[in-house]
Amino acid sequence: MAEKTYLQAISDGLRQEMRRDKRVFVIGEDVGVYGGAFKVTLGFQEEFGPWRVIDAPLSETAIVGGCTGAAIMGLRPVAEMQFSDFISCGWDQLVTVAAKQRWRAGTPVPMTVRLPSGGGFSGGPFHSQNPESSFAHIPGLKIVCPATPEDAKGLLVTAIEDPNPVLYFEHKHLYRRIKAEVPDDRYTTPFGQARIHREGDDVSVITWGAMVWTAAEAAQQLEDDGISVEIVDLRTLVPWDKKAVLESVSKTSKVLVLHEDTHTGGFGGEIAATIAEEVFEDLDAPVKRLTAPDTPVPFSPPLEKAFIPQVDDVASALRELAEY
Amino acid sequence: MAEKTYLQAISDGLRQEMRRDKRVFVIGEDVGVYGGAFKVTLGFQEEFGPWRVIDAPLSETAIVGGCTGAAIMGLRPVAEMQFSDFISCGWDQLVTVAAKQRWRAGTPVPMTVRLPSGGGFSGGPFHSQNPESSFAHIPGLKIVCPATPEDAKGLLVTAIEDPNPVLYFEHKHLYRRIKAEVPDDRYTTPFGQARIHREGDDVSVITWGAMVWTAAEAAQQLEDDGISVEIVDLRTLVPWDKKAVLESVSKTSKVLVLHEDTHTGGFGGEIAATIAEEVFEDLDAPVKRLTAPDTPVPFSPPLEKAFIPQVDDVASALRELAEY
Amino acid sequence: MAIAREAEPVGSLQEVKEAGLDREDLLGVYRNMLITRGIEERGHILYKQGKIPGSFYTGRGNEAAAVGVATAMDDQDVGTPLHRDMGVHISRGVEPWRIFAQYMGRADGPTHGRDGNVHMADSRLGLLAMVSHLPAMLPVAVGCALAFRIREEKRVAVGWFGEGASARGDCHEAMNLAGVRKLPVVFVCDNNQWAYSTPTYLEYATEHVADRAEAYGFEGVVVDGTDVLAVYRESRRAIEKARGGDGPTLIECLTLRMEGHAVHDDAFYVPKDMFERWASSDPIERFRTWLREHAELGDAEEDEITSGVKKLLNEALTRAEESPLPDPSSLAEGVFATPEDLDTPHHK
Amino acid sequence: MAIAREAEPVGSLQEVKEAGLDREDLLGVYRNMLITRGIEERGHILYKQGKIPGSFYTGRGNEAAAVGVATAMDDQDVGTPLHRDMGVHISRGVEPWRIFAQYMGRADGPTHGRDGNVHMADSRLGLLAMVSHLPAMLPVAVGCALAFRIREEKRVAVGWFGEGASARGDCHEAMNLAGVRKLPVVFVCDNNQWAYSTPTYLEYATEHVADRAEAYGFEGVVVDGTDVLAVYRESRRAIEKARGGDGPTLIECLTLRMEGHAVHDDAFYVPKDMFERWASSDPIERFRTWLREHAELGDAEEDEITSGVKKLLNEALTRAEESPLPDPSSLAEGVFATPEDLDTPHHK
Ligand SMILES: Cc1ncc(C[n+]2csc(CCOP(=O)(O)OP(=O)(O)O)c2C)c(N)n1
Ligand SMILES: Cc1ncc(C[n+]2csc(CCOP(=O)(O)OP(=O)(O)O)c2C)c(N)n1
Ligand SMILES: [Mg+2]
Ligand SMILES: [Mg+2]
């Protein structure tokens, strides 16, 4: 057990898995000599050689499609997108080939795509997006969004082990900001089991990724006013832990669904709709959503601050609910 | 005024617009000599010549990106996807360039993409999809899904006139099945204004595209049992007519959101969540969704029938709501 | 300016033997071509009988190209054949009755009614099921080759694509990655001169598709796709070259699509004389003549083969028609794989 | 095997005159190169001062290539320059203070703080704002050319791409469409030998990127990207060829990226002697020497230019720093265009 950043947890988890399982290899732009844009694979090529840590050409389609083929041939590819934004260039391969191959043709595609995502440091419209909602709509893809170093490692190992295409969204704004104890040994964190980041009685927040920490700060604020907030960290969007969400909502009878991605058609809608359908009778207030507005992600700090839900935004949404 | 199929209405609307406005041109695979896979542009190349009715190579990225450039240069491109499924190959161009260019750089992109979509005739996993939800999540794209011949023409004209990238989903299962009177003259049908396909008092159905007709048959069934169903045809998903939906729900206090696309993360979630948030107090029952299950679209008729919501499925969902 | 090498036709039996096929093999090739065509001809009938839902696509004219390439593959090699490549499935040993079941959306088809047409494959025979999106399987084929390279296996992946689909980005990214990394993959272009209704000069601006190979640092070859032996010889060369670590080859098989794009299309846009010209070079007839001239195929033996194929297909059809339609309650199963699904020859 | 033509360096003033530039033009070119470098050097300082949010990218080493091509464009031509092509914006007349404002995320930058770095363009000057996704602007540039062809205008579109980005499908689809339809477009490859940390041999397997042009049916040319006059001459030829209806050209400008990929990258992976070798061929110094040798550039005139540029940039910086940060309440405006937005020179 040692304190590690979220980034180190990812890196260590991946290295450990590569040492354990020769079928695991890494491919992506600049993952080799350079160690990846965020240095997750720093030193990997030296340890595992150039055919297990592969510098790909600037070709997201070939990377995703290549991993699909290699996975079907029995390897366990881990692709790195330099930024999650660029997965748009691999969209067709993922949704057309990888996602549907098991159901259609019985061929499992055990591959993982690592996607550094999210904003908070003026990355602008193309280096800050949270594209998880788009993919969560496609049957056949699993979607992982860890919030803590411990989950970052455990969910990555589960992703690599999973016999399906898994999109692993690692939030860049957590990379070096969030540190915690991470077990040294190999372990897996199951998909589809939410984590109660904080227990509470008055209002539930359903969220994932970096927003877990924003919600936690807001909950802290509200505690001083005597409002007790429960935070449910989904950890994975596909599958998502409906049971945990509905239980929390039934307990508090008020809920805020929170995400960093834009509003319309975001995955928050799915969660809110499910709550409204399944525990309608338990609700004492409308199902509220707090998200980014329907715009691209802005570059300039004051705009970006207005775009990404801030602690104060969450706190006032929670207060409003509590007072309903 | 003459009776026209949905397909003729599209074809006539497009031809009329091309005659009126020299900036309008058509590009797509096999749209020229062949007249398009569904013959929407039959005879167009003879009338408008090979540079206004352009047979493109098998290159969805070049088609979508090409239209983006041509639109910025002042033309009014109308791209045809051979099947809406293939727009996955133009995903990046649409979401990365076309959708964001106005907001980022002030450059409007007035283009239309025609997308023959939907199932019902054993097209299988790649010729039957309804990808509108994925795009509805991307700020900057407008999404149109006509259900009637009159709307098919009017909304196409509005799409071509609109200064933004518009995805125009034409449901293949309506092409020759649905006929109605269509005005001969040019007219536009505004975006963001739902159409009450049928008035009713007990339950509302919110839907679009081919499902409008499925809902209408189900409503007919229920009428015999004395249950009065209101059908709201959204016509456009972005922008969507929140006001009309909320009004209908407030009136009936019970609502079924219905779509042919798959469940999780489908646009129905957005609508259901909005209803649960904004007219929570008016609801007498949970917000129900009826959609395709989370699988690819199957080929074999019994499977496809189980996949696409059928009249009986809608009727029993409505009955359940009415009895709640 | 043509850049690619233009392959010679094949002459004598001796030459063929040197290329690795004995007389028994040749008769097998002939048989596979007959089965291929027979399946698709019967498919047409089934379609007209209303037994095939949706649309229906065939590869008439492409039998030699498909069978020729597949015959050059070793057992442990893998491939991603397309909608004109029924001959690949047949050559790899797929049972015809399963294909009929697939056509008709029955439970015993390789996709159990979930997908249609040739959108199927038996992964135990080293084939990967195509998707409609063209040529999305090329990057996947390259990924197979990458796996072989990583594990240092002497296996080769074969990826098919149409000349129309050569215009798409997937083709470029796949070939470029394969070229840069010298992966053991062979790209086979089924150039049947039409992409639906679109002629080649609107799809690419070179003389041959194979001229593109240079742009990726490997060799391109154009071969007459109606000459099964020439296709075999060039494929064998390319596959062995790839197996030996010398990287990819692009083989372009020149044919004509002898029917419409699919069953609904009468191909009015194809000049009549083009059909006539290519009809005189029918791949099956051509090989039959060659076998009679060079390999002593006599009437009796030929009859035996023909009637054997007929019997096989008749029985297959009966068996397929007995296969039930899939159970709707199974629809939602198997969207996600379980660990047990990985228990296949390739995944281990 | 190289397929592309390798362009000769430019010699005399006379030769340059024939190519269409008089002495005044040449001094303008020099000035634009100085402004380009000056802006990016000041950008570095701003970055270190913490005034530029996010990351920061420059095109040091690419000034000649960018300015050379842009100088060869006519007013009515359009282009889609990239992150190494500041010189294009400058040559087309973008005011430096706006660029500083863009860097700093201010309200008066061309994107009003919505986007950063060189992700900007003034559409009234015929430029289209790049996106990060490389080379997604190539199909867009081809679309501009398509519009010119449809309207039968004598205009040309210029599309830039990096040698790394040449691996992507967008590059292929754009070039193929342009080749098939002989569209009036010129493709300019900024080959600075690195794609982030990736060397060229892992990006493509030909000798030159320009060797690929053949695969699309048009000519490829490799030019020394530090020789502004050679770049100009080849660009002018290609642009006029395109304007005349003779289709696309691929011009590859060979340079070295003289800094890290972005400000955070120390480029440890680039061999030291590679930097040294290319430093001796600095495009600005090279052109300065040429001007002194061939165009009688004297100390006084040079000082005047240099100090003029310095003054311009200092004033620009001051003005940019006075520009306010954008108003957060404006965030949601303009996701969708209104009809009035179409009231621009290009949209009419
Ligand atoms: C990405 C994509 N776009 C469009 C289609 C529709 N489509 C099916 S086959 C076809 C023509 C294919 O031509 P070619 O690649 O030459 O193959 P062929 O059918 O001639 O064998 C088209 C356009 C498709 N399958 N995939
Ligand atoms: C589609 C896509 N994938 C990844 C990136 C991340 N990225 C930014 S620049 C770069 C290298 C680009 O190399 P090159 O095309 O040679 O241009 P250069 O930066 O060298 O001018 C990469 C990988 C990107 N911008 N776009
Ligand atoms: Mg073809
Ligand atoms: Mg570069």
Side-chain angles (χ1 to χ4, degrees):
Chain A
M1 209 69 160
E3 198 181 69
K4 282 186 182 150
T5 63
Y6 181 91
L7 183 72
Q8 284 164 341
I10 297 169
S11 182
D12 291 355
L14 182 55
R15 193 189 295 104
Q16 208 169 54
E17 216 45 23
M18 290 184 73
R19 285 181 183 159
R20 199 187 68 90
D21 185 348
K22 269 182 57 181
R23 299 170 308 174
V24 182
F25 75 97
V26 164
I27 184 167
E29 292 150 19
D30 308 292
V31 295
V33 172
Y34 197 74
F38 297 97
K39 304 289 182 188
V40 169
T41 56
L42 191 65
F44 278 42
Q45 199 174 60
E46 282 157 41
E47 178 168 353
F48 301 106
W51 285 102
R52 282 186 71 203
V53 183
I54 303 174
D55 276 318
L58 210 164
S59 299
E60 281 75 9
T61 293
I63 292 170
V64 173
C67 286
T68 303
I72 295 174
M73 289 302 108
L75 293 180
R76 294 294 177 272
V78 179
E80 174 176 300
M81 292 290 110
Q82 199 152 86
F83 285 80
S84 71
D85 308 72
F86 301 128
I87 193 60
S88 52
C89 303
W91 170 264
D92 177 56
Q93 277 291 329
L94 273 171
V95 311
T96 300
V97 187
K100 298 180 172 58
Q101 210 68 1
R102 167 63 188 84
W103 183 88
R104 271 194 335 124
T107 323
V109 182
M111 65 187 268
T112 302
V113 185
R114 289 184 36 241
L115 302 132
S117 66
F121 35 83
S122 288
F126 305 110
H127 289 76
S128 311
Q129 294 174 88
N130 296 278
E132 63 263 21
S133 303
S134 300
F135 290 97
H137 178 51
I138 308 297
L141 302 176
K142 294 194 178 177
I143 310 290
V144 181
C145 302
T148 69
E150 184 168 343
D151 283 357
K153 177 172 169 182
L155 289 170
L156 182 59
V157 175
T158 307
I160 295 171
E161 221 178 41
D162 196 280
N164 294 285
V166 180
L167 304 191
Y168 177 95
F169 290 89
E170 40 193 72
H171 200 292
K172 301 190 293 290
H173 204 41
L174 302 177
Y175 269 162
R176 295 179 173 88
R177 187 163 60 103
I178 301 298
K179 281 187 194 136
E181 296 289 312
V182 176
D184 291 327
D185 286 346
R186 178 180 193 268
Y187 60 94
T188 57
T189 304
F191 287 179
Q193 289 187 17
R195 186 179 61 88
I196 306 301
H197 186 75
R198 177 193 175 106
E199 290 202 31
D201 298 309
D202 299 329
V203 197
S204 301
V205 183
I206 317 299
T207 193
W208 61 88
M211 283 296 115
V212 169
W213 301 99
T214 306
E217 279 189 59
Q220 200 58 43
Q221 272 190 24
L222 266 75
E223 196 175 73
D224 304 340
D225 305 354
I227 302 167
S228 157
V229 176
E230 176 147 306
I231 300 177
V232 181
D233 170 9
L234 280 185
R235 286 169 154 174
T236 61
L237 296 195
V238 180
W240 69 281
D241 192 348
K242 217 193 258 191
K243 189 160 156 284
V245 169
L246 300 183
E247 271 170 19
S248 177
V249 175
S250 294
K251 179 172 81 172
T252 61
S253 56
K254 291 176 175 179
V255 60
L256 177 71
V257 181
L258 170 68
H259 60 63
E260 188 179 313
D261 190 9
T262 54
H263 188 83
T264 301
F267 199 73
E270 178 62 33
I271 298 166
T274 305
I275 293 169
E277 183 157 1
E278 307 213 359
V279 290
F280 174 70
E281 305 270 5
D282 298 337
L283 287 170
D284 284 343
V287 185
K288 219 177 151 55
R289 284 183 289 164
L290 180 61
T291 68
D294 286 329
T295 73
V297 190
F299 164 75
S300 190
L303 297 180
E304 194 184 27
K305 223 175 134 214
F307 177 88
I308 298 178
Q310 303 291 313
V311 173
D312 286 347
D313 303 327
V314 178
S316 47
L318 288 173
R319 275 207 186 84
E320 222 178 275
L321 272 174
E323 285 159 17
Y324 190 90
Chain B
M1 206 74 156
E3 198 181 68
K4 284 188 178 148
T5 63
Y6 181 90
L7 183 72
Q8 284 165 340
I10 297 169
S11 183
D12 291 355
L14 183 55
R15 193 189 297 103
Q16 207 169 55
E17 216 44 23
M18 290 184 73
R19 286 180 183 160
R20 199 186 68 89
D21 185 347
K22 270 183 54 179
R23 298 170 309 172
V24 182
F25 75 98
V26 164
I27 183 167
E29 292 150 19
D30 308 293
V31 295
V33 172
Y34 197 76
F38 298 97
K39 305 288 183 189
V40 169
T41 56
L42 191 65
F44 278 42
Q45 199 174 60
E46 282 157 41
E47 177 168 353
F48 302 106
W51 285 102
R52 281 185 72 203
V53 182
I54 303 176
D55 276 319
L58 210 164
S59 299
E60 281 75 9
T61 293
I63 292 170
V64 173
C67 286
T68 303
I72 295 174
M73 289 302 108
L75 292 180
R76 294 296 177 271
V78 179
E80 174 176 299
M81 291 291 109
Q82 199 153 83
F83 284 79
S84 71
D85 308 72
F86 300 127
I87 193 60
S88 51
C89 303
W91 170 264
D92 177 56
Q93 277 291 328
L94 273 171
V95 310
T96 301
V97 187
K100 297 180 173 57
Q101 211 67 3
R102 167 64 188 83
W103 182 88
R104 271 193 334 122
T107 324
V109 182
M111 66 187 267
T112 302
V113 185
R114 289 184 36 241
L115 301 131
S117 67
F121 36 81
S122 288
F126 306 110
H127 289 76
S128 311
Q129 295 174 87
N130 296 279
E132 62 263 21
S133 302
S134 300
F135 290 98
H137 178 51
I138 308 298
L141 302 175
K142 294 195 178 176
I143 310 290
V144 181
C145 303
T148 69
E150 183 167 345
D151 283 357
K153 176 172 169 183
L155 289 170
L156 182 59
V157 175
T158 307
I160 296 171
E161 221 177 42
D162 196 280
N164 294 285
V166 180
L167 304 191
Y168 177 94
F169 290 88
E170 40 193 72
H171 199 292
K172 300 190 293 291
H173 204 39
L174 302 178
Y175 269 163
R176 295 179 173 87
R177 187 163 60 103
I178 302 299
K179 283 189 193 134
E181 297 288 313
V182 176
D184 292 328
D185 286 345
R186 177 182 193 269
Y187 60 94
T188 57
T189 304
F191 287 178
Q193 288 187 20
R195 186 179 62 88
I196 305 302
H197 185 76
R198 176 194 176 104
E199 289 202 33
D201 298 310
D202 299 329
V203 197
S204 300
V205 183
I206 316 299
T207 192
W208 61 88
M211 283 295 115
V212 170
W213 301 100
T214 306
E217 279 189 59
Q220 200 59 44
Q221 273 190 23
L222 267 75
E223 195 175 72
D224 305 338
D225 305 353
I227 302 168
S228 156
V229 176
E230 175 147 308
I231 300 176
V232 180
D233 169 9
L234 280 185
R235 287 170 155 175
T236 62
L237 296 195
V238 180
W240 69 280
D241 192 346
K242 215 192 261 192
K243 189 160 155 284
V245 169
L246 300 183
E247 271 171 19
S248 177
V249 175
S250 294
K251 179 172 81 171
T252 62
S253 54
K254 291 176 175 179
V255 60
L256 178 70
V257 181
L258 170 68
H259 59 64
E260 187 179 314
D261 190 9
T262 56
H263 188 82
T264 301
F267 200 72
E270 178 62 33
I271 297 166
T274 305
I275 293 169
E277 183 157 2
E278 306 211 0
V279 290
F280 173 71
E281 304 271 6
D282 298 337
L283 287 171
D284 284 343
V287 185
K288 219 176 151 54
R289 283 184 288 165
L290 180 62
T291 67
D294 286 329
T295 74
V297 190
F299 164 75
S300 189
L303 298 180
E304 194 183 29
K305 223 174 134 213
F307 177 89
I308 298 178
Q310 304 291 314
V311 173
D312 285 347
D313 304 326
V314 179
S316 50
L318 288 173
R319 273 204 188 87
E320 222 179 275
L321 272 175
E323 284 158 18
Y324 189 90
Chain C
M1 177 190 72
I3 300 175
R5 177 166 67 79
E6 304 201 16
E8 292 291 303
V10 162
S12 67
L13 187 62
Q14 184 53 30
E15 192 187 330
V16 172
K17 277 206 178 123
E18 279 160 21
L21 296 180
D22 61 22
R23 188 169 182 280
E24 208 47 44
D25 296 329
L26 291 172
L27 297 183
V29 165
Y30 181 58
R31 198 165 166 273
N32 285 337
M33 288 167 69
L34 288 178
I35 296 174
T36 300
R37 179 163 299 175
I39 286 180
E40 295 189 335
E41 283 178 346
R42 276 169 177 77
H44 266 299
I45 297 167
L46 287 173
Y47 184 85
K48 286 198 187 110
Q49 291 172 334
K51 290 181 181 163
I52 294 184
S55 193
F56 182 61
Y57 301 76
T58 71
R60 192 178 188 96
N62 200 52
E63 295 89 347
V67 173
V69 176
T71 305
M73 293 167 69
D74 281 355
D75 274 356
Q76 78 276 19
D77 297 336
V78 303
T80 59
L82 294 185
H83 51 304
R84 312 296 178 198
D85 300 318
M86 178 59 73
V88 176
H89 298 272
I90 298 306
S91 304
R92 299 288 293 186
V94 178
E95 294 168 283
W97 77 278
R98 295 231 181 245
I99 295 165
F100 289 130
Q102 166 86 0
Y103 281 173
M104 296 187 288
R106 303 302 173 93
D108 291 306
T111 68
H112 313 296
R114 291 179 167 197
D115 208 337
N117 287 293
V118 206
H119 292 202
M120 53 159 214
D122 188 334
S123 64
R124 288 161 309 176
L125 302 174
L127 299 180
L128 276 65
M130 70 173 282
V131 297
S132 288
H133 295 52
L134 298 169
M137 297 308 287
L138 286 187
V140 180
V142 169
C144 296
L146 181 65
F148 303 154
R149 177 62 189 77
I150 291 173
R151 285 194 301 236
E152 299 186 350
E153 294 170 342
K154 295 267 172 231
R155 296 167 69 187
V156 176
V158 180
W160 276 265
F161 66 109
E163 88 291 345
S166 73
R168 275 218 48 236
D170 286 36
C171 183
H172 176 72
E173 294 201 14
M175 292 189 184
N176 186 55
L177 175 58
V180 160
R181 292 286 181 171
K182 277 190 167 258
L183 298 178
V185 57
V186 174
F187 298 104
V188 178
C189 179
D190 288 336
N191 189 343
N192 59 12
Q193 304 188 64
W194 296 90
Y196 209 148
S197 73
T198 310
T200 55
Y201 69 88
L202 291 180
E203 295 285 356
Y204 54 90
T206 47
E207 187 175 342
H208 301 298
V209 173
D211 294 341
R212 288 234 172 102
E214 281 290 344
Y216 304 111
F218 48 83
E219 197 198 5
V221 188
V222 186
V223 59
D224 180 344
T226 70
D227 180 348
V228 68
L229 296 177
V231 171
Y232 168 79
R233 184 194 56 209
E234 296 305 327
S235 305
R236 188 81 200 151
R237 266 191 204 158
I239 288 170
E240 291 315 313
K241 180 177 171 186
R243 200 185 309 287
D246 293 323
T249 305
L250 196 173
I251 301 176
E252 176 176 353
C253 300
L254 205 62
T255 62
L256 182 65
R257 194 192 69 206
M258 295 304 289
E259 298 178 318
H261 172 65
V263 71
H264 63 272
D265 171 21
D266 66 4
F268 69 86
Y269 46 83
V270 179
K272 266 227 178 66
D273 66 321
M274 197 171 187
F275 274 133
E276 282 159 17
R277 216 161 353 108
W278 283 84
S280 71
S281 174
D282 178 78
I284 292 182
E285 191 49 37
R286 182 170 175 177
F287 188 41
R288 186 179 151 270
T289 309
W290 189 93
L291 285 171
R292 293 183 78 100
E293 281 174 13
H294 294 84
E296 294 167 9
L297 178 67
D299 288 346
E301 202 174 19
E302 197 188 326
D303 280 355
E304 198 190 309
I305 293 173
T306 316
S307 61
V309 168
K310 196 179 262 178
K311 183 154 171 288
L312 174 76
L313 295 182
N314 287 345
E315 286 168 9
L317 208 46
T318 310
R319 188 163 176 200
E321 298 214 55
E322 282 162 13
S323 172
L325 284 166
D327 177 359
S329 74
S330 68
L331 173 62
E333 286 163 17
V335 171
F336 290 107
T338 60
E340 298 74 57
D341 289 331
L342 296 174
D343 214 17
T344 69
H346 293 301
H347 270 99
K348 272 191 278 204
Chain D
M1 177 191 74
I3 300 174
R5 177 166 66 79
E6 305 202 15
E8 293 290 304
V10 163
S12 65
L13 188 62
Q14 184 53 30
E15 190 186 332
V16 173
K17 279 208 175 119
E18 279 159 21
L21 296 181
D22 61 23
R23 189 170 182 279
E24 208 47 42
D25 296 328
L26 291 173
L27 296 183
V29 165
Y30 182 59
R31 198 164 165 273
N32 285 338
M33 287 167 70
L34 287 178
I35 295 173
T36 299
R37 179 162 298 174
I39 285 180
E40 296 191 334
E41 284 178 347
R42 276 169 177 75
H44 266 299
I45 297 168
L46 287 173
Y47 184 84
K48 286 198 187 112
Q49 292 172 334
K51 289 181 181 164
I52 294 185
S55 192
F56 181 63
Y57 302 76
T58 71
R60 192 178 187 96
N62 199 52
E63 295 89 348
V67 172
V69 176
T71 305
M73 292 166 70
D74 280 355
D75 274 357
Q76 78 275 19
D77 298 336
V78 303
T80 58
L82 294 184
H83 51 304
R84 312 296 179 198
D85 301 318
M86 177 60 72
V88 176
H89 298 272
I90 298 307
S91 303
R92 299 288 293 187
V94 178
E95 294 168 282
W97 78 278
R98 295 234 180 239
I99 295 164
F100 290 131
Q102 165 85 1
Y103 281 173
M104 296 187 289
R106 303 301 174 92
D108 292 306
T111 69
H112 312 295
R114 292 179 166 197
D115 208 337
N117 288 292
V118 205
H119 293 202
M120 53 161 214
D122 189 335
S123 65
R124 288 161 308 177
L125 302 174
L127 299 180
L128 275 65
M130 70 174 281
V131 297
S132 287
H133 294 52
L134 297 170
M137 297 307 289
L138 285 188
V140 180
V142 169
C144 296
L146 181 64
F148 303 154
R149 177 63 189 77
I150 291 172
R151 284 193 302 236
E152 300 186 350
E153 295 170 340
K154 296 267 173 232
R155 296 167 69 187
V156 176
V158 181
W160 277 264
F161 67 110
E163 87 293 343
S166 73
R168 275 217 48 237
D170 286 37
C171 183
H172 176 71
E173 295 201 13
M175 290 189 185
N176 186 56
L177 175 58
V180 160
R181 292 287 180 171
K182 277 190 167 256
L183 298 179
V185 57
V186 175
F187 298 103
V188 178
C189 179
D190 287 335
N191 189 342
N192 59 13
Q193 304 189 62
W194 296 89
Y196 209 148
S197 72
T198 309
T200 54
Y201 69 87
L202 292 180
E203 295 285 356
Y204 54 90
T206 46
E207 187 174 341
H208 300 298
V209 173
D211 294 341
R212 287 233 172 103
E214 280 290 343
Y216 305 111
F218 48 83
E219 197 197 7
V221 188
V222 186
V223 59
D224 180 342
T226 69
D227 180 349
V228 67
L229 297 177
V231 171
Y232 169 80
R233 185 195 55 210
E234 296 305 326
S235 306
R236 189 78 203 155
R237 267 189 203 160
I239 289 170
E240 291 315 312
K241 179 178 169 184
R243 200 185 308 287
D246 293 323
T249 306
L250 197 174
I251 301 176
E252 176 176 355
C253 300
L254 205 62
T255 61
L256 180 66
R257 194 193 67 206
M258 297 302 290
E259 298 178 319
H261 172 65
V263 70
H264 64 272
D265 171 21
D266 66 5
F268 67 87
Y269 47 82
V270 179
K272 267 226 176 68
D273 66 321
M274 197 172 187
F275 274 134
E276 281 160 16
R277 221 166 345 112
W278 283 84
S280 72
S281 173
D282 178 78
I284 292 182
E285 191 50 35
R286 183 171 173 175
F287 188 41
R288 185 178 151 269
T289 308
W290 189 93
L291 285 172
R292 293 184 78 100
E293 281 173 15
H294 294 84
E296 293 167 12
L297 177 67
D299 288 346
E301 203 174 17
E302 197 189 328
D303 279 357
E304 198 190 307
I305 293 173
T306 315
S307 61
V309 167
K310 195 179 265 178
K311 184 152 171 287
L312 174 76
L313 295 182
N314 287 345
E315 285 168 9
L317 207 47
T318 310
R319 189 163 175 198
E321 297 215 53
E322 281 162 13
S323 171
L325 284 165
D327 177 359
S329 74
S330 68
L331 173 62
E333 287 164 16
V335 172
F336 290 108
T338 60
E340 298 74 57
D341 289 331
L342 297 174
D343 214 17
T344 68
H346 294 300
H347 271 99
K348 271 192 279 205

